[in-house]
Amino acid sequence: MPNLYDLAYDLEKGLRESAEFQGLKQAYDAVMADEAAKQMFDNFRQTQIVLQQKQMQGEEITEEEIEQARKTVELVQQHPQISKLMEQEQHLNTVINDVSRIITKPLEELYSENS
Amino acid sequence: MPNLYDLAYDLEKGLRESAEFQGLKQAYDAVMADEAAKQMFDNFRQTQIVLQQKQMQGEEITEEEIEQARKTVELVQQHPQISKLMEQEQHLNTVINDVSRIITKPLEELYSENS
Ligand SMILES: [Ca+2]
Ligand SMILES: [Ca+2]
């Protein structure tokens, strides 16, 4: 009988050593080592978190806030190191979503058998 | 360099063969094989899905709906096969949440380094 926790730790170790994670780590460390880039990235993150929370709580998001968020995105996209970091994030997110889909497939299959 | 997809498929295979998944499958198949139990379980599921969707869309949930949902839960909990199925679901959910936490730990660690 396989131990799921052992297999999960194998996957965690693999993730840590993967090109995808190492690429993200390099990009992240580069941004964090540059004070101006770090601040810009933190602002961007903070703006996103605030908007997400409002959305989840069903609060109204004003046009000013949407415009502000759009500008923050534009700003970070023009910063080479931050846009590199965001690319790496997206890449790893794709992989993690794929992994999630793979490991929840047995459950999905089970529950679709009789519906 | 480890291949994350290979590791994910190992975990998926392990999950499929695990005592936790096999226990859930047995409980699920038992409920589905009993027409009355299947209908009761489907009703319960449907009620939950409707309430979750309302909650996510920020719609108001009436006291009648809460009371109705509470009754549906009580009903299924009294059904031995369905309550067994729900126990197995909770058990596997715990395992899957643990696995999720394990494999997202590298990311969490990375992002907490500089905050
Ligand atoms: Ca089906
Ligand atoms: Ca920290």
Side-chain angles (χ1 to χ4, degrees):
Chain A
M1 195 69 82
N3 183 313
L4 292 177
Y5 290 89
D6 289 344
L7 293 168
Y9 284 115
D10 287 346
L11 184 53
E12 188 227 341
K13 188 166 174 287
L15 186 72
R16 236 180 250 283
E17 292 166 359
S18 69
E20 291 88 349
F21 183 74
Q22 290 301 321
L24 173 64
K25 187 167 163 43
Q26 263 175 27
Y28 183 77
D29 289 344
V31 168
M32 289 302 133
D34 177 335
E35 190 55 41
K38 179 183 185 310
Q39 222 163 66
M40 198 186 279
F41 183 67
D42 284 348
N43 277 342
F44 163 69
R45 268 284 149 95
Q46 198 50 40
T47 306
Q48 283 200 316
I49 291 169
V50 168
L51 286 188
Q52 271 171 15
Q53 281 174 344
K54 283 201 169 190
Q55 219 162 14
M56 284 197 311
Q57 288 162 5
E59 284 179 49
E60 208 187 334
I61 295 166
T62 63
E63 284 201 27
E64 284 77 18
E65 284 174 316
I66 293 170
E67 182 58 20
Q68 182 57 39
R70 205 187 50 75
K71 278 186 190 158
T72 318
V73 172
E74 254 179 31
L75 202 66
V76 294
Q77 277 175 343
Q78 282 162 17
H79 191 292
Q81 284 172 318
I82 301 180
S83 65
K84 171 87 181 158
L85 170 54
M86 288 166 68
E87 264 169 45
Q88 296 284 348
E89 282 180 338
Q90 263 174 9
H91 187 44
L92 194 62
N93 275 342
T94 304
V95 173
I96 285 180
N97 286 339
D98 287 348
V99 167
S100 269
R101 222 172 299 127
I102 290 166
I103 66 177
T104 53
K105 214 180 159 214
L107 272 174
E108 234 175 70
E109 278 179 17
L110 178 63
Y111 280 95
S112 72
E113 267 171 30
N114 290 279
S115 63
Chain B
M1 195 69 82
N3 184 312
L4 293 177
Y5 290 89
D6 288 344
L7 293 167
Y9 284 115
D10 286 346
L11 185 52
E12 189 225 341
K13 188 166 172 288
L15 185 73
R16 234 179 251 282
E17 293 167 359
S18 69
E20 292 88 348
F21 183 74
Q22 289 301 322
L24 173 64
K25 187 168 162 41
Q26 262 174 30
Y28 184 77
D29 289 344
V31 168
M32 289 301 133
D34 177 335
E35 190 55 42
K38 179 183 185 312
Q39 220 164 66
M40 199 188 280
F41 183 68
D42 285 347
N43 277 342
F44 164 69
R45 267 286 149 90
Q46 198 50 40
T47 306
Q48 284 200 315
I49 289 169
V50 168
L51 286 188
Q52 272 170 14
Q53 280 174 344
K54 284 201 168 188
Q55 219 162 15
M56 285 196 311
Q57 288 163 4
E59 282 180 50
E60 210 187 333
I61 295 165
T62 64
E63 283 199 27
E64 284 75 19
E65 282 174 317
I66 293 170
E67 181 58 20
Q68 183 57 40
R70 204 187 52 72
K71 277 186 192 158
T72 318
V73 172
E74 253 178 33
L75 201 66
V76 295
Q77 277 174 344
Q78 282 162 16
H79 192 292
Q81 284 173 317
I82 301 180
S83 66
K84 172 87 181 158
L85 170 54
M86 288 166 69
E87 264 170 45
Q88 297 284 349
E89 282 181 336
Q90 264 175 5
H91 188 44
L92 193 63
N93 275 342
T94 304
V95 174
I96 285 180
N97 285 340
D98 287 348
V99 166
S100 269
R101 223 173 297 127
I102 290 168
I103 67 178
T104 52
K105 215 180 159 215
L107 271 174
E108 235 175 67
E109 278 179 16
L110 178 63
Y111 279 96
S112 71
E113 268 170 31
N114 291 278
S115 61

